[in-house]
Amino acid sequence: MASVGSGELQSANIFIPQEWSDAADTISYDSNTSPAPVALVCGPKNSGKTTLSRLLVNVLLQRYKKVAYLDTDVGQTEFTPPGLLSLTTIDKITSDLSIPCLKTPERCFFFGDISSKRDPKTYLACIFALYDHYRKTYLLSIGGSPGNAAVPLVINTTGWVKGKLYLLSNLFRLVWSLFFIYRICISAVSKNLPAGAFWLDDDNGAVATLIEVNSARQDSFNRSVLVQKDARLLRDLRVMAYFRQCFPSDMKITTIKELSRALAAHPPYEILISSIKIKHLHCEVPKSEVFYSLNATIVGLAVDSEDSENFPDCVGLGIVRAIDTFKHVLYVITPVPKSSLQKVDLLLQGFIEIPTCLLQVQGCTSPYMSADVLPSA
Ligand SMILES: Nc1ncnc2c1ncn2[C@@H]1O[C@H](COP(=O)(O)OP(=O)(O)OP(=O)(O)O)[C@@H](O)[C@H]1O
């Protein structure tokens, strides 16, 4: 396959400095080794980790048919709505490095929060389960053979802030087949991750190559800086883009008001309460309050694992539209296809919320969005 360098992969509003290009090309020069490379991108919040990860995926797709992407950034997810930890395979180069797009992950868990803070143990365990899935599917079964059959892995991490070093170090240690660690730095040294292989114990030999690059954005003094973004707004947009998928793409929904009304009018799925389990993550809810807490919220639609050691697979998100306690039925809106929905037997509730802007549309009465639609508890 003819190869173009990473320089040719940049998009209009994204600037790829030479340093980034060279760093990204390293992964493809060294890719003749077996097994396929595993690269992890880390650095401070808003330093460009996601943008660099997308560039790495594009560079790898010039050499490999498929690239796996392990998204550990629950607050700013790449291919899913927020609150999910996922492993996705990609087979097409992204033409615009500045925008995320929704994709159906190969494996996905509902973590149910936008940060690992509340439950770092479960967070790391989910990531390890996803990595293990990658390892068993793509490293062990194919024998790690180089070439088109091999599937490299890019891991994007959550923005590093002081106090979270143990979490990142543990994550690095879990992923034993790491080849490259891309560490993005900014000029304000105190905000950077410690230099060198900070995650290794003294007696643990370093195997991964550490590649340090500066953030691409510079101020007028040529200092590498962070680009602030409105994380909450971006999360709300991802949730709305996700539920927009409930409707055909040619249906005219261009404003929040139109989406809100379309969701209010959308026929929900009926789920018999007796056919599912309900689990609240990160908090305990008294039995008598379970339905009150579920009503008009976002839930993870999951398939309970028979093996209690495993996390339940999540097939997507749903909005609990209403609950009829007399009929023992839950009404759920979701873009998940019926075939996948039939396997769902567990609803997971966390802290992922319906965007306020969707609930506050003029003419709709929150949380039911409009009158005369469905009975509720
Ligand atoms: N090379 C670049 N050229 C232009 N803009 C960039 C570049 N790198 C990052 N940005 C912009 O900076 C902002 C932060 O980038 P990005 O989302 O990649 O950072 P991040 O480190 O992944 O953030 P987070 O810590 O929230 O996960 C975005 O608006 C992005 O478009």
Side-chain angles (χ1 to χ4, degrees), residues 13-17 20 43-52 54 73 76 97-98 156-160 184 216-217 226-229 231:
N13 43 357
I14 294 291
F15 164 62
I16 305 293
W20 275 36
K45 262 184 182 310
N46 293 327
S47 56
K49 296 178 299 300
T50 307
T51 311
L52 181 60
R54 287 178 195 151
D73 191 354
Q76 297 294 318
L97 292 173
S98 66
N156 184 18
T157 60
T158 189
W160 180 75
I184 304 185
R217 297 299 286 268
L226 304 173
V227 181
Q228 291 309 327
K229 52 183 190 191

PDB file of all heavy atoms in Angstrom, residues 13-17 20 43-52 54 73 76 97-98 156-160 184 216-217 226-229 231, ligand 1:
ATOM      1  N   ASN A  13      -8.520  22.754  10.404  1.00  0.00           N
ATOM      2  CA  ASN A  13      -8.365  23.547  11.629  1.00  0.00           C
ATOM      3  C   ASN A  13      -7.424  22.930  12.651  1.00  0.00           C
ATOM      4  O   ASN A  13      -7.337  23.387  13.777  1.00  0.00           O
ATOM      5  CB  ASN A  13      -9.740  23.806  12.263  1.00  0.00           C
ATOM      6  CG  ASN A  13     -10.579  22.558  12.230  1.00  0.00           C
ATOM      7  OD1 ASN A  13     -10.146  21.539  11.680  1.00  0.00           O
ATOM      8  ND2 ASN A  13     -11.760  22.612  12.803  1.00  0.00           N
ATOM      9  N   ILE A  14      -6.745  21.883  12.255  1.00  0.00           N
ATOM     10  CA  ILE A  14      -5.799  21.248  13.179  1.00  0.00           C
ATOM     11  C   ILE A  14      -4.386  21.429  12.633  1.00  0.00           C
ATOM     12  O   ILE A  14      -4.106  21.159  11.470  1.00  0.00           O
ATOM     13  CB  ILE A  14      -6.125  19.739  13.339  1.00  0.00           C
ATOM     14  CG1 ILE A  14      -7.476  19.546  14.028  1.00  0.00           C
ATOM     15  CG2 ILE A  14      -5.039  19.000  14.075  1.00  0.00           C
ATOM     16  CD1 ILE A  14      -7.542  19.948  15.484  1.00  0.00           C
ATOM     17  N   PHE A  15      -3.510  21.911  13.521  1.00  0.00           N
ATOM     18  CA  PHE A  15      -2.134  22.142  13.123  1.00  0.00           C
ATOM     19  C   PHE A  15      -1.285  20.981  13.638  1.00  0.00           C
ATOM     20  O   PHE A  15      -1.305  20.663  14.829  1.00  0.00           O
ATOM     21  CB  PHE A  15      -1.683  23.484  13.721  1.00  0.00           C
ATOM     22  CG  PHE A  15      -0.207  23.663  13.711  1.00  0.00           C
ATOM     23  CD1 PHE A  15       0.505  23.695  12.507  1.00  0.00           C
ATOM     24  CD2 PHE A  15       0.498  23.802  14.908  1.00  0.00           C
ATOM     25  CE1 PHE A  15       1.877  23.858  12.511  1.00  0.00           C
ATOM     26  CE2 PHE A  15       1.872  23.961  14.904  1.00  0.00           C
ATOM     27  CZ  PHE A  15       2.562  23.986  13.714  1.00  0.00           C
ATOM     28  N   ILE A  16      -0.596  20.319  12.720  1.00  0.00           N
ATOM     29  CA  ILE A  16       0.277  19.209  13.139  1.00  0.00           C
ATOM     30  C   ILE A  16       1.727  19.683  13.042  1.00  0.00           C
ATOM     31  O   ILE A  16       2.299  19.783  11.951  1.00  0.00           O
ATOM     32  CB  ILE A  16       0.091  17.960  12.244  1.00  0.00           C
ATOM     33  CG1 ILE A  16      -1.381  17.526  12.194  1.00  0.00           C
ATOM     34  CG2 ILE A  16       0.968  16.799  12.717  1.00  0.00           C
ATOM     35  CD1 ILE A  16      -1.950  16.995  13.477  1.00  0.00           C
ATOM     36  N   PRO A  17       2.347  20.000  14.194  1.00  0.00           N
ATOM     37  CA  PRO A  17       3.741  20.438  14.145  1.00  0.00           C
ATOM     38  C   PRO A  17       4.650  19.289  13.687  1.00  0.00           C
ATOM     39  O   PRO A  17       4.280  18.117  13.825  1.00  0.00           O
ATOM     40  CB  PRO A  17       4.054  20.851  15.574  1.00  0.00           C
ATOM     41  CG  PRO A  17       2.890  20.492  16.406  1.00  0.00           C
ATOM     42  CD  PRO A  17       1.816  19.915  15.545  1.00  0.00           C
ATOM     43  N   TRP A  20       5.089  16.473  16.098  1.00  0.00           N
ATOM     44  CA  TRP A  20       3.984  15.504  16.175  1.00  0.00           C
ATOM     45  C   TRP A  20       4.065  14.524  15.008  1.00  0.00           C
ATOM     46  O   TRP A  20       3.874  13.325  15.171  1.00  0.00           O
ATOM     47  CB  TRP A  20       2.629  16.222  16.116  1.00  0.00           C
ATOM     48  CG  TRP A  20       2.121  16.742  17.423  1.00  0.00           C
ATOM     49  CD1 TRP A  20       2.873  17.267  18.426  1.00  0.00           C
ATOM     50  CD2 TRP A  20       0.760  16.787  17.859  1.00  0.00           C
ATOM     51  NE1 TRP A  20       2.058  17.659  19.469  1.00  0.00           N
ATOM     52  CE2 TRP A  20       0.761  17.376  19.130  1.00  0.00           C
ATOM     53  CE3 TRP A  20      -0.448  16.410  17.293  1.00  0.00           C
ATOM     54  CZ2 TRP A  20      -0.409  17.586  19.857  1.00  0.00           C
ATOM     55  CZ3 TRP A  20      -1.618  16.614  18.010  1.00  0.00           C
ATOM     56  CH2 TRP A  20      -1.587  17.196  19.281  1.00  0.00           C
ATOM     57  N   GLY A  43      -0.996  12.954  29.215  1.00  0.00           N
ATOM     58  CA  GLY A  43      -0.599  14.360  29.355  1.00  0.00           C
ATOM     59  C   GLY A  43      -1.652  15.109  30.139  1.00  0.00           C
ATOM     60  O   GLY A  43      -2.680  14.537  30.520  1.00  0.00           O
ATOM     61  N   PRO A  44      -1.423  16.420  30.375  1.00  0.00           N
ATOM     62  CA  PRO A  44      -2.410  17.187  31.135  1.00  0.00           C
ATOM     63  C   PRO A  44      -3.736  17.305  30.389  1.00  0.00           C
ATOM     64  O   PRO A  44      -3.800  17.055  29.184  1.00  0.00           O
ATOM     65  CB  PRO A  44      -1.759  18.569  31.277  1.00  0.00           C
ATOM     66  CG  PRO A  44      -0.370  18.446  30.790  1.00  0.00           C
ATOM     67  CD  PRO A  44      -0.273  17.215  29.959  1.00  0.00           C
ATOM     68  N   LYS A  45      -4.760  17.709  31.105  1.00  0.00           N
ATOM     69  CA  LYS A  45      -6.081  17.951  30.498  1.00  0.00           C
ATOM     70  C   LYS A  45      -5.962  18.960  29.369  1.00  0.00           C
ATOM     71  O   LYS A  45      -5.195  19.921  29.480  1.00  0.00           O
ATOM     72  CB  LYS A  45      -6.999  18.573  31.557  1.00  0.00           C
ATOM     73  CG  LYS A  45      -7.910  17.594  32.227  1.00  0.00           C
ATOM     74  CD  LYS A  45      -8.844  18.346  33.176  1.00  0.00           C
ATOM     75  CE  LYS A  45      -9.751  17.400  33.918  1.00  0.00           C
ATOM     76  NZ  LYS A  45     -10.457  16.423  33.129  1.00  0.00           N
ATOM     77  N   ASN A  46      -6.695  18.757  28.317  1.00  0.00           N
ATOM     78  CA  ASN A  46      -6.754  19.700  27.185  1.00  0.00           C
ATOM     79  C   ASN A  46      -5.413  19.948  26.491  1.00  0.00           C
ATOM     80  O   ASN A  46      -5.199  21.005  25.911  1.00  0.00           O
ATOM     81  CB  ASN A  46      -7.298  21.064  27.633  1.00  0.00           C
ATOM     82  CG  ASN A  46      -8.742  20.973  28.034  1.00  0.00           C
ATOM     83  OD1 ASN A  46      -9.490  20.173  27.473  1.00  0.00           O
ATOM     84  ND2 ASN A  46      -9.134  21.758  29.005  1.00  0.00           N
ATOM     85  N   SER A  47      -4.505  18.987  26.594  1.00  0.00           N
ATOM     86  CA  SER A  47      -3.198  19.208  25.969  1.00  0.00           C
ATOM     87  C   SER A  47      -3.170  18.684  24.532  1.00  0.00           C
ATOM     88  O   SER A  47      -2.190  18.909  23.813  1.00  0.00           O
ATOM     89  CB  SER A  47      -2.098  18.520  26.800  1.00  0.00           C
ATOM     90  OG  SER A  47      -2.389  17.151  26.938  1.00  0.00           O
ATOM     91  N   GLY A  48      -4.211  17.967  24.119  1.00  0.00           N
ATOM     92  CA  GLY A  48      -4.251  17.468  22.738  1.00  0.00           C
ATOM     93  C   GLY A  48      -4.138  15.952  22.640  1.00  0.00           C
ATOM     94  O   GLY A  48      -3.872  15.407  21.560  1.00  0.00           O
ATOM     95  N   LYS A  49      -4.387  15.247  23.749  1.00  0.00           N
ATOM     96  CA  LYS A  49      -4.250  13.773  23.740  1.00  0.00           C
ATOM     97  C   LYS A  49      -5.165  13.132  22.704  1.00  0.00           C
ATOM     98  O   LYS A  49      -4.755  12.247  21.962  1.00  0.00           O
ATOM     99  CB  LYS A  49      -4.586  13.198  25.136  1.00  0.00           C
ATOM    100  CG  LYS A  49      -3.629  13.643  26.221  1.00  0.00           C
ATOM    101  CD  LYS A  49      -4.011  13.109  27.577  1.00  0.00           C
ATOM    102  CE  LYS A  49      -5.373  13.544  28.072  1.00  0.00           C
ATOM    103  NZ  LYS A  49      -5.563  14.996  28.213  1.00  0.00           N
ATOM    104  N   THR A  50      -6.421  13.606  22.681  1.00  0.00           N
ATOM    105  CA  THR A  50      -7.377  13.009  21.747  1.00  0.00           C
ATOM    106  C   THR A  50      -6.961  13.289  20.308  1.00  0.00           C
ATOM    107  O   THR A  50      -7.020  12.399  19.451  1.00  0.00           O
ATOM    108  CB  THR A  50      -8.779  13.598  22.014  1.00  0.00           C
ATOM    109  OG1 THR A  50      -9.050  13.422  23.398  1.00  0.00           O
ATOM    110  CG2 THR A  50      -9.845  12.919  21.192  1.00  0.00           C
ATOM    111  N   THR A  51      -6.521  14.520  20.054  1.00  0.00           N
ATOM    112  CA  THR A  51      -6.125  14.886  18.690  1.00  0.00           C
ATOM    113  C   THR A  51      -4.930  14.046  18.245  1.00  0.00           C
ATOM    114  O   THR A  51      -4.906  13.520  17.124  1.00  0.00           O
ATOM    115  CB  THR A  51      -5.792  16.403  18.639  1.00  0.00           C
ATOM    116  OG1 THR A  51      -6.860  17.116  19.265  1.00  0.00           O
ATOM    117  CG2 THR A  51      -5.601  16.894  17.227  1.00  0.00           C
ATOM    118  N   LEU A  52      -3.948  13.883  19.153  1.00  0.00           N
ATOM    119  CA  LEU A  52      -2.779  13.067  18.804  1.00  0.00           C
ATOM    120  C   LEU A  52      -3.194  11.596  18.628  1.00  0.00           C
ATOM    121  O   LEU A  52      -2.703  10.924  17.704  1.00  0.00           O
ATOM    122  CB  LEU A  52      -1.696  13.205  19.887  1.00  0.00           C
ATOM    123  CG  LEU A  52      -0.415  12.421  19.647  1.00  0.00           C
ATOM    124  CD1 LEU A  52       0.278  12.832  18.336  1.00  0.00           C
ATOM    125  CD2 LEU A  52       0.576  12.591  20.801  1.00  0.00           C
ATOM    126  N   ARG A  54      -6.030  10.495  17.513  1.00  0.00           N
ATOM    127  CA  ARG A  54      -6.673  10.369  16.186  1.00  0.00           C
ATOM    128  C   ARG A  54      -5.615  10.345  15.086  1.00  0.00           C
ATOM    129  O   ARG A  54      -5.728   9.595  14.119  1.00  0.00           O
ATOM    130  CB  ARG A  54      -7.604  11.565  15.937  1.00  0.00           C
ATOM    131  CG  ARG A  54      -8.863  11.501  16.747  1.00  0.00           C
ATOM    132  CD  ARG A  54      -9.727  12.732  16.490  1.00  0.00           C
ATOM    133  NE  ARG A  54     -10.744  12.825  17.527  1.00  0.00           N
ATOM    134  CZ  ARG A  54     -11.284  13.947  17.965  1.00  0.00           C
ATOM    135  NH1 ARG A  54     -10.917  15.104  17.451  1.00  0.00           N
ATOM    136  NH2 ARG A  54     -12.202  13.942  18.900  1.00  0.00           N
ATOM    137  N   ASP A  73     -11.112   7.634  28.643  1.00  0.00           N
ATOM    138  CA  ASP A  73     -11.492   8.982  29.085  1.00  0.00           C
ATOM    139  C   ASP A  73     -13.020   9.061  29.211  1.00  0.00           C
ATOM    140  O   ASP A  73     -13.711   9.498  28.288  1.00  0.00           O
ATOM    141  CB  ASP A  73     -10.966   9.994  28.044  1.00  0.00           C
ATOM    142  CG  ASP A  73     -11.068  11.414  28.542  1.00  0.00           C
ATOM    143  OD1 ASP A  73     -11.642  11.620  29.619  1.00  0.00           O
ATOM    144  OD2 ASP A  73     -10.578  12.325  27.851  1.00  0.00           O
ATOM    145  N   GLN A  76     -14.714  12.583  28.423  1.00  0.00           N
ATOM    146  CA  GLN A  76     -14.637  13.100  27.046  1.00  0.00           C
ATOM    147  C   GLN A  76     -14.433  11.909  26.111  1.00  0.00           C
ATOM    148  O   GLN A  76     -13.333  11.686  25.612  1.00  0.00           O
ATOM    149  CB  GLN A  76     -13.458  14.075  26.901  1.00  0.00           C
ATOM    150  CG  GLN A  76     -13.562  15.316  27.757  1.00  0.00           C
ATOM    151  CD  GLN A  76     -14.714  16.208  27.330  1.00  0.00           C
ATOM    152  OE1 GLN A  76     -14.957  16.408  26.159  1.00  0.00           O
ATOM    153  NE2 GLN A  76     -15.463  16.714  28.302  1.00  0.00           N
ATOM    154  N   LEU A  97      -9.574  15.809  11.948  1.00  0.00           N
ATOM    155  CA  LEU A  97      -9.036  15.407  13.256  1.00  0.00           C
ATOM    156  C   LEU A  97      -9.657  16.182  14.410  1.00  0.00           C
ATOM    157  O   LEU A  97      -9.361  15.933  15.568  1.00  0.00           O
ATOM    158  CB  LEU A  97      -7.517  15.625  13.282  1.00  0.00           C
ATOM    159  CG  LEU A  97      -6.669  14.741  12.383  1.00  0.00           C
ATOM    160  CD1 LEU A  97      -5.228  15.193  12.401  1.00  0.00           C
ATOM    161  CD2 LEU A  97      -6.757  13.294  12.840  1.00  0.00           C
ATOM    162  N   SER A  98     -10.527  17.157  14.086  1.00  0.00           N
ATOM    163  CA  SER A  98     -11.049  17.991  15.171  1.00  0.00           C
ATOM    164  C   SER A  98     -12.395  17.507  15.700  1.00  0.00           C
ATOM    165  O   SER A  98     -12.862  17.984  16.716  1.00  0.00           O
ATOM    166  CB  SER A  98     -11.170  19.445  14.712  1.00  0.00           C
ATOM    167  OG  SER A  98     -12.142  19.542  13.696  1.00  0.00           O
ATOM    168  N   ASN A 156      -6.220   6.110  24.590  1.00  0.00           N
ATOM    169  CA  ASN A 156      -6.274   7.519  24.979  1.00  0.00           C
ATOM    170  C   ASN A 156      -6.600   7.575  26.463  1.00  0.00           C
ATOM    171  O   ASN A 156      -7.499   6.894  26.934  1.00  0.00           O
ATOM    172  CB  ASN A 156      -7.368   8.240  24.176  1.00  0.00           C
ATOM    173  CG  ASN A 156      -7.397   9.736  24.460  1.00  0.00           C
ATOM    174  OD1 ASN A 156      -6.430  10.288  24.977  1.00  0.00           O
ATOM    175  ND2 ASN A 156      -8.489  10.375  24.132  1.00  0.00           N
ATOM    176  N   THR A 157      -5.854   8.376  27.209  1.00  0.00           N
ATOM    177  CA  THR A 157      -6.095   8.423  28.654  1.00  0.00           C
ATOM    178  C   THR A 157      -6.778   9.726  29.048  1.00  0.00           C
ATOM    179  O   THR A 157      -6.767  10.698  28.305  1.00  0.00           O
ATOM    180  CB  THR A 157      -4.779   8.291  29.455  1.00  0.00           C
ATOM    181  OG1 THR A 157      -3.931   9.373  29.087  1.00  0.00           O
ATOM    182  CG2 THR A 157      -4.112   6.973  29.193  1.00  0.00           C
ATOM    183  N   THR A 158      -7.309   9.693  30.233  1.00  0.00           N
ATOM    184  CA  THR A 158      -7.980  10.864  30.770  1.00  0.00           C
ATOM    185  C   THR A 158      -6.930  11.915  31.159  1.00  0.00           C
ATOM    186  O   THR A 158      -5.798  11.563  31.454  1.00  0.00           O
ATOM    187  CB  THR A 158      -8.821  10.370  31.983  1.00  0.00           C
ATOM    188  OG1 THR A 158      -9.631  11.388  32.423  1.00  0.00           O
ATOM    189  CG2 THR A 158      -7.981   9.848  33.083  1.00  0.00           C
ATOM    190  N   GLY A 159      -7.313  13.196  31.119  1.00  0.00           N
ATOM    191  CA  GLY A 159      -6.358  14.271  31.419  1.00  0.00           C
ATOM    192  C   GLY A 159      -5.749  14.112  32.799  1.00  0.00           C
ATOM    193  O   GLY A 159      -6.465  13.901  33.779  1.00  0.00           O
ATOM    194  N   TRP A 160      -4.426  14.196  32.855  1.00  0.00           N
ATOM    195  CA  TRP A 160      -3.764  13.982  34.126  1.00  0.00           C
ATOM    196  C   TRP A 160      -3.791  15.250  34.973  1.00  0.00           C
ATOM    197  O   TRP A 160      -3.494  16.342  34.494  1.00  0.00           O
ATOM    198  CB  TRP A 160      -2.308  13.554  33.916  1.00  0.00           C
ATOM    199  CG  TRP A 160      -1.648  13.333  35.230  1.00  0.00           C
ATOM    200  CD1 TRP A 160      -1.828  12.273  36.062  1.00  0.00           C
ATOM    201  CD2 TRP A 160      -0.735  14.204  35.879  1.00  0.00           C
ATOM    202  NE1 TRP A 160      -1.081  12.432  37.192  1.00  0.00           N
ATOM    203  CE2 TRP A 160      -0.397  13.611  37.109  1.00  0.00           C
ATOM    204  CE3 TRP A 160      -0.162  15.434  35.555  1.00  0.00           C
ATOM    205  CZ2 TRP A 160       0.481  14.192  38.006  1.00  0.00           C
ATOM    206  CZ3 TRP A 160       0.717  16.025  36.449  1.00  0.00           C
ATOM    207  CH2 TRP A 160       1.036  15.402  37.662  1.00  0.00           C
ATOM    208  N   ILE A 184       2.464  14.084  26.307  1.00  0.00           N
ATOM    209  CA  ILE A 184       2.358  15.463  25.828  1.00  0.00           C
ATOM    210  C   ILE A 184       2.708  16.405  26.980  1.00  0.00           C
ATOM    211  O   ILE A 184       2.242  16.220  28.110  1.00  0.00           O
ATOM    212  CB  ILE A 184       0.938  15.776  25.308  1.00  0.00           C
ATOM    213  CG1 ILE A 184       0.542  14.786  24.202  1.00  0.00           C
ATOM    214  CG2 ILE A 184       0.863  17.199  24.772  1.00  0.00           C
ATOM    215  CD1 ILE A 184      -0.774  15.066  23.526  1.00  0.00           C
ATOM    216  N   ALA A 216       0.454  21.130  20.729  1.00  0.00           N
ATOM    217  CA  ALA A 216       0.603  21.802  19.429  1.00  0.00           C
ATOM    218  C   ALA A 216       0.280  23.293  19.496  1.00  0.00           C
ATOM    219  O   ALA A 216       0.754  24.076  18.690  1.00  0.00           O
ATOM    220  CB  ALA A 216      -0.296  21.127  18.407  1.00  0.00           C
ATOM    221  N   ARG A 217      -0.551  23.685  20.467  1.00  0.00           N
ATOM    222  CA  ARG A 217      -0.967  25.087  20.532  1.00  0.00           C
ATOM    223  C   ARG A 217       0.074  25.914  21.278  1.00  0.00           C
ATOM    224  O   ARG A 217       0.541  25.529  22.333  1.00  0.00           O
ATOM    225  CB  ARG A 217      -2.326  25.202  21.237  1.00  0.00           C
ATOM    226  CG  ARG A 217      -3.442  24.500  20.510  1.00  0.00           C
ATOM    227  CD  ARG A 217      -3.680  25.045  19.117  1.00  0.00           C
ATOM    228  NE  ARG A 217      -4.334  26.342  19.117  1.00  0.00           N
ATOM    229  CZ  ARG A 217      -5.640  26.528  19.052  1.00  0.00           C
ATOM    230  NH1 ARG A 217      -6.445  25.494  18.956  1.00  0.00           N
ATOM    231  NH2 ARG A 217      -6.164  27.720  19.074  1.00  0.00           N
ATOM    232  N   LEU A 226      -2.335  24.950  26.913  1.00  0.00           N
ATOM    233  CA  LEU A 226      -3.551  24.140  26.847  1.00  0.00           C
ATOM    234  C   LEU A 226      -4.628  24.939  26.120  1.00  0.00           C
ATOM    235  O   LEU A 226      -4.600  26.159  26.137  1.00  0.00           O
ATOM    236  CB  LEU A 226      -4.051  23.845  28.266  1.00  0.00           C
ATOM    237  CG  LEU A 226      -3.055  23.177  29.209  1.00  0.00           C
ATOM    238  CD1 LEU A 226      -3.628  23.111  30.619  1.00  0.00           C
ATOM    239  CD2 LEU A 226      -2.741  21.775  28.705  1.00  0.00           C
ATOM    240  N   VAL A 227      -5.558  24.239  25.493  1.00  0.00           N
ATOM    241  CA  VAL A 227      -6.687  24.940  24.877  1.00  0.00           C
ATOM    242  C   VAL A 227      -7.912  24.612  25.717  1.00  0.00           C
ATOM    243  O   VAL A 227      -8.271  23.448  25.859  1.00  0.00           O
ATOM    244  CB  VAL A 227      -6.936  24.437  23.433  1.00  0.00           C
ATOM    245  CG1 VAL A 227      -8.100  25.182  22.791  1.00  0.00           C
ATOM    246  CG2 VAL A 227      -5.683  24.579  22.604  1.00  0.00           C
ATOM    247  N   GLN A 228      -8.482  25.633  26.342  1.00  0.00           N
ATOM    248  CA  GLN A 228      -9.646  25.364  27.194  1.00  0.00           C
ATOM    249  C   GLN A 228     -10.848  24.991  26.334  1.00  0.00           C
ATOM    250  O   GLN A 228     -11.046  25.548  25.268  1.00  0.00           O
ATOM    251  CB  GLN A 228      -9.983  26.598  28.043  1.00  0.00           C
ATOM    252  CG  GLN A 228      -8.933  26.884  29.116  1.00  0.00           C
ATOM    253  CD  GLN A 228      -8.577  25.669  29.985  1.00  0.00           C
ATOM    254  OE1 GLN A 228      -9.419  24.813  30.254  1.00  0.00           O
ATOM    255  NE2 GLN A 228      -7.313  25.560  30.371  1.00  0.00           N
ATOM    256  N   LYS A 229     -11.609  24.013  26.771  1.00  0.00           N
ATOM    257  CA  LYS A 229     -12.846  23.713  26.067  1.00  0.00           C
ATOM    258  C   LYS A 229     -13.953  23.534  27.095  1.00  0.00           C
ATOM    259  O   LYS A 229     -13.675  23.270  28.256  1.00  0.00           O
ATOM    260  CB  LYS A 229     -12.673  22.488  25.162  1.00  0.00           C
ATOM    261  CG  LYS A 229     -12.114  21.286  25.842  1.00  0.00           C
ATOM    262  CD  LYS A 229     -11.900  20.133  24.893  1.00  0.00           C
ATOM    263  CE  LYS A 229     -11.561  18.896  25.715  1.00  0.00           C
ATOM    264  NZ  LYS A 229     -11.097  17.785  24.985  1.00  0.00           N
ATOM    265  N   ALA A 231     -16.086  21.418  28.613  1.00  0.00           N
ATOM    266  CA  ALA A 231     -16.248  19.956  28.696  1.00  0.00           C
ATOM    267  C   ALA A 231     -17.707  19.561  28.885  1.00  0.00           C
ATOM    268  O   ALA A 231     -18.178  18.588  28.293  1.00  0.00           O
ATOM    269  CB  ALA A 231     -15.394  19.417  29.833  1.00  0.00           C
TER     270      ALA A 231
HETATM  271  N1  LIG B   1      -2.796  20.120  16.925  1.00  0.00           N
HETATM  272  C1  LIG B   1      -3.840  20.890  17.215  1.00  0.00           C
HETATM  273  N2  LIG B   1      -4.225  21.877  16.384  1.00  0.00           N
HETATM  274  C2  LIG B   1      -5.308  22.637  16.671  1.00  0.00           C
HETATM  275  N3  LIG B   1      -6.077  22.473  17.777  1.00  0.00           N
HETATM  276  C3  LIG B   1      -5.732  21.505  18.636  1.00  0.00           C
HETATM  277  C4  LIG B   1      -4.603  20.656  18.410  1.00  0.00           C
HETATM  278  N4  LIG B   1      -4.500  19.796  19.445  1.00  0.00           N
HETATM  279  C5  LIG B   1      -5.550  20.050  20.234  1.00  0.00           C
HETATM  280  N5  LIG B   1      -6.262  21.092  19.762  1.00  0.00           N
HETATM  281  C6  LIG B   1      -7.510  21.624  20.343  1.00  0.00           C
HETATM  282  O1  LIG B   1      -7.328  21.725  21.742  1.00  0.00           O
HETATM  283  C7  LIG B   1      -8.497  21.271  22.436  1.00  0.00           C
HETATM  284  C8  LIG B   1      -8.093  20.135  23.360  1.00  0.00           C
HETATM  285  O2  LIG B   1      -7.634  19.056  22.529  1.00  0.00           O
HETATM  286  P1  LIG B   1      -7.964  17.550  22.863  1.00  0.00           P
HETATM  287  O3  LIG B   1      -9.418  17.349  23.068  1.00  0.00           O
HETATM  288  O4  LIG B   1      -7.268  16.716  21.842  1.00  0.00           O
HETATM  289  O5  LIG B   1      -7.224  17.465  24.267  1.00  0.00           O
HETATM  290  P2  LIG B   1      -7.268  16.320  25.360  1.00  0.00           P
HETATM  291  O6  LIG B   1      -5.952  16.354  26.035  1.00  0.00           O
HETATM  292  O7  LIG B   1      -7.680  15.037  24.747  1.00  0.00           O
HETATM  293  O8  LIG B   1      -8.431  16.846  26.311  1.00  0.00           O
HETATM  294  P3  LIG B   1      -9.053  16.068  27.602  1.00  0.00           P
HETATM  295  O9  LIG B   1      -8.047  16.194  28.704  1.00  0.00           O
HETATM  296  O10 LIG B   1     -10.330  16.825  27.900  1.00  0.00           O
HETATM  297  O11 LIG B   1      -9.324  14.660  27.191  1.00  0.00           O
HETATM  298  C9  LIG B   1      -9.505  20.866  21.364  1.00  0.00           C
HETATM  299  O12 LIG B   1     -10.386  21.936  21.147  1.00  0.00           O
HETATM  300  C10 LIG B   1      -8.635  20.619  20.137  1.00  0.00           C
HETATM  301  O13 LIG B   1      -9.334  20.823  18.917  1.00  0.00           O
END
